[in-house]
Amino acid sequence: MTRALTRKGEATRARIVAGAAAEIRERGVDEVRLEDVMAHTGTSKGQLFHYFPDGKEGLLLAVAQHEADQVLIDQEPMLSNLTSWPAWLAWRDRLIERYLAQGVKCPLNGLLGQTGRRAPGAQAIVTGLIWRWQKAITEGIRHMQSTGDIDPDLDADRAAAALLAGIQGGVLLLLSTGKIDHLEAVLDLTIDSLRAGARTGGS
Amino acid sequence: MTRALTRKGEATRARIVAGAAAEIRERGVDEVRLEDVMAHTGTSKGQLFHYFPDGKEGLLLAVAQHEADQVLIDQEPMLSNLTSWPAWLAWRDRLIERYLAQGVKCPLNGLLGQTGRRAPGAQAIVTGLIWRWQKAITEGIRHMQSTGDIDPDLDADRAAAALLAGIQGGVLLLLSTGKIDHLEAVLDLTIDSLRAGARTGGS
DNA sequence: GCAAAAATGGACCTGCAAGTCCAGAAACCG
DNA sequence: CGGTTTCTGGACTTGCAGGTCCATTTTTGC
C-alpha cells in the first residue's frame, strides 16, 4: 500500500537517496544539510519533503538501508561461497581492498553510532545487517566443518560472532587511525586460528 | 602557562566536565545541548564560556580526554599486569563486567565516530588511547612469551592489534545489539588461540 | 581591608537549518 | 483529450542552540 509513484518519481527518489548517501560518506552525517543534498542531486526542498514526508529522519533511514545493503553486496560473491581456504582468502582480500579504498569515509559509521540509539528504525536496520552478515559467515564455517577443514566441535556461531566483531573493530580502527593494520591483523590471525583448529583436532 | 585558576574555579571546571560526560554517556553527543549541561551541573552559560572559551568544541575535547583516560583506568590494575593466564582471565572478566554495566551508553562512541574526523584534536585523543591500550596488551603478550606461555615466534604487536580490534568490535556490536555475546566470543576465542599457540609450538 | 583578578548569572543576539505552503508544470488514465 | 494526480520550484516561517556581553559577587594576594 505504498503510495503511487510514477516512473519519473521513482527515479528522482533513487537519485536523492544515492546522492545523500554519497554526500554523507564524504562528509559525515551531521555535516550534511538538506541544502547540500538538494545541491548535489539537483532537487528542490519541495521534492525532498514530497518523497520523504518525515523529513531528514526518513531520508536518513532510507540512506541507512541503502548503505547496509551495499555493504553485503560489496562482499559478493565471496561471502556466500566460503567453501574452501582460497575462497576465504579471496573474501579477506576483498574486505581489505574495499575498506582500503573507502578509507576514512564510512557509510555506517554515523548510523551505527549516533543514529543507532535515536531512531527506532535505524536500530532494526543495523541489527538486520549484522544478523545477515554473521549468518553468512556461520554458513561458511559450517561448510568448512562438513568438509573437515575446520574442527567440527567448534561452535560455528560463536566463531562467526568473534570474526565479525574483529572485522567491525578493524574497520573502526581504520576510521580512527587511517591505517589498515588492525583489520589485516584480525582477519589473518582469526582465519589462521580457524585453520589451526582443524590440524590440531583432526590429526 | 595555563591561565590562573582558583581552587573554586578548578572544582567548577571539573564539575562541568564530569557532568557533561555523564550527560553525553546517557543521551549521546548530539542530543546534549549546552543548556542540558548547565542544568545538570548547576552552572550558567557565563561559566561554561569562561572555562571553555572555544565553546562546545573545547568542552567536548575536554570530555573526550576525560573519558579516554577513564577507559584505561577502569581496566587497572589488570591491564598492566597480564603476567599469567589467571591474570588474563581476570582482565577479560573486568572488561565484560565493565561493558555489561555500561550497556548502550558509550562514552567514546560519538568521539570515535563523529568527532573523529571533525576536530583535529579529537583524532589525537583517540589515537593516543588506542596506542596506549595496544601497548599495554603487547607488553602482556611479550611477558607471556618470556615465560614460555606464548609462542615466542608470534608477532606480539600484531596479535595485540588483532585483540584490540576484536574488543572494539565487540563493544560496537554491544552498542548496536545490546548483547554482550560478540565481546565474550572474541575475547575467549582470541585468548584461547594465544594459549593454543604455546602448546602447538612448544611440544 | 582593599584593589585586582577571577567567578557567576542571566538577558540578549544571531544565524542557520528543518520544515511549511502553495502555485505552476508534467505525467497519468479513462 | 480533459480531468486528476503527481511532480517540481522556491519563497517564507519558525524554533532553537551556540555564542556574546556585562553587571554583580566572590576570591586572592599583599
Side-chain angles (χ1 to χ4, degrees):
Chain A
M1 213 33 180
T2 47
R3 74 152 57 63
L5 266 208
T6 73
R7 191 162 288 240
K8 191 179 179 186
E10 279 193 81
T12 303
R13 199 195 129 102
R15 184 158 43 95
I16 293 174
V17 172
E23 202 80 355
I24 288 173
R25 243 176 285 137
E26 198 66 31
R27 315 194 347 225
V29 190
D30 47 34
E31 297 299 322
V32 173
R33 323 286 160 209
L34 290 188
E35 223 173 307
D36 302 323
V37 177
M38 287 160 53
H40 193 266
T41 60
T43 49
S44 67
K45 203 154 240 178
Q47 287 168 287
L48 247 56
F49 282 85
H50 178 66
Y51 293 106
F52 303 95
D54 293 340
K56 201 177 186 183
E57 184 92 7
L59 174 58
L60 250 47
L61 232 53
V63 169
Q65 188 64 63
H66 176 267
E67 294 293 71
D69 292 343
Q70 200 58 38
V71 166
L72 291 183
I73 290 171
D74 283 353
Q75 294 176 57
E76 295 300 345
M78 290 81 172
L79 181 58
S80 291
N81 293 285
L82 298 173
T83 54
S84 69
W85 290 124
W88 278 77
L89 294 186
W91 173 57
R92 182 217 95 117
D93 289 344
R94 166 65 67 89
L95 277 171
I96 299 282
E97 173 196 14
R98 188 236 147 111
Y99 284 105
L100 198 52
Q102 181 180 281
V104 182
K105 308 162 189 172
C106 181
L108 288 171
N109 182 19
L111 302 169
L112 269 163
Q114 294 304 330
T115 327
R117 93 175 49 180
R118 73 172 166 216
Q123 187 81 9
I125 291 173
V126 171
T127 55
L129 167 64
I130 290 172
W131 194 81
R132 284 187 288 162
W133 198 340
Q134 184 165 332
K135 191 181 162 206
I137 298 176
T138 304
E139 277 172 9
I141 294 178
R142 290 240 168 81
H143 187 279
M144 297 300 275
Q145 288 179 315
S146 76
T147 60
D149 286 304
I150 291 183
D151 178 8
D153 291 338
L154 185 75
D155 183 335
D157 218 34
R158 195 171 167 77
L163 179 49
L164 182 57
I167 293 170
Q168 298 310 312
V171 172
L172 188 66
L173 292 177
L174 166 61
L175 295 180
S176 307
T177 66
K179 305 219 166 201
I180 198 89
D181 301 23
H182 289 89
L183 182 57
E184 264 185 8
V186 80
L187 278 172
D188 288 343
L189 293 181
T190 307
I191 294 179
D192 272 0
S193 105
L194 287 176
R195 304 178 76 160
R199 277 184 239 130
T200 307
S203 64
Chain B
M1 210 44 179
T2 46
R3 75 152 58 62
L5 266 208
T6 72
R7 190 162 289 238
K8 191 179 181 189
E10 279 194 80
T12 303
R13 199 196 127 103
R15 182 158 44 93
I16 292 174
V17 171
E23 201 81 356
I24 288 173
R25 242 175 287 138
E26 199 65 33
R27 313 191 352 222
V29 191
D30 47 34
E31 297 299 322
V32 172
R33 324 283 160 211
L34 291 187
E35 224 173 305
D36 301 324
V37 176
M38 286 160 53
H40 193 266
T41 61
T43 48
S44 67
K45 205 155 239 181
Q47 287 168 287
L48 247 55
F49 282 84
H50 178 67
Y51 293 106
F52 303 95
D54 294 339
K56 201 178 188 184
E57 183 91 7
L59 174 58
L60 250 47
L61 232 52
V63 170
Q65 188 64 63
H66 176 268
E67 294 293 70
D69 293 342
Q70 200 58 39
V71 166
L72 292 182
I73 290 172
D74 283 353
Q75 295 176 57
E76 295 301 345
M78 290 80 171
L79 181 59
S80 292
N81 294 286
L82 298 173
T83 54
S84 68
W85 289 125
W88 278 76
L89 293 186
W91 174 57
R92 182 217 96 118
D93 289 344
R94 167 64 67 88
L95 277 172
I96 298 282
E97 173 195 15
R98 188 237 147 110
Y99 284 106
L100 197 52
Q102 181 181 281
V104 184
K105 309 161 189 172
C106 180
L108 289 173
N109 182 20
L111 302 170
L112 270 164
Q114 294 304 329
T115 327
R117 94 174 50 179
R118 74 173 166 215
Q123 188 82 8
I125 292 173
V126 171
T127 54
L129 167 63
I130 290 171
W131 194 81
R132 285 188 287 162
W133 199 339
Q134 184 166 331
K135 191 181 161 206
I137 298 176
T138 304
E139 275 171 12
I141 294 178
R142 290 240 167 82
H143 188 279
M144 297 300 275
Q145 288 178 314
S146 76
T147 61
D149 286 303
I150 291 183
D151 178 7
D153 292 338
L154 185 75
D155 183 337
D157 218 33
R158 194 170 167 80
L163 179 48
L164 182 58
I167 293 170
Q168 298 309 312
V171 172
L172 188 66
L173 292 177
L174 166 62
L175 296 179
S176 307
T177 67
K179 305 219 165 200
I180 198 90
D181 301 23
H182 289 89
L183 182 58
E184 264 185 9
V186 79
L187 278 172
D188 289 342
L189 293 181
T190 307
I191 293 179
D192 273 359
S193 106
L194 286 177
R195 304 177 74 158
R199 278 185 239 127
T200 307
S203 64

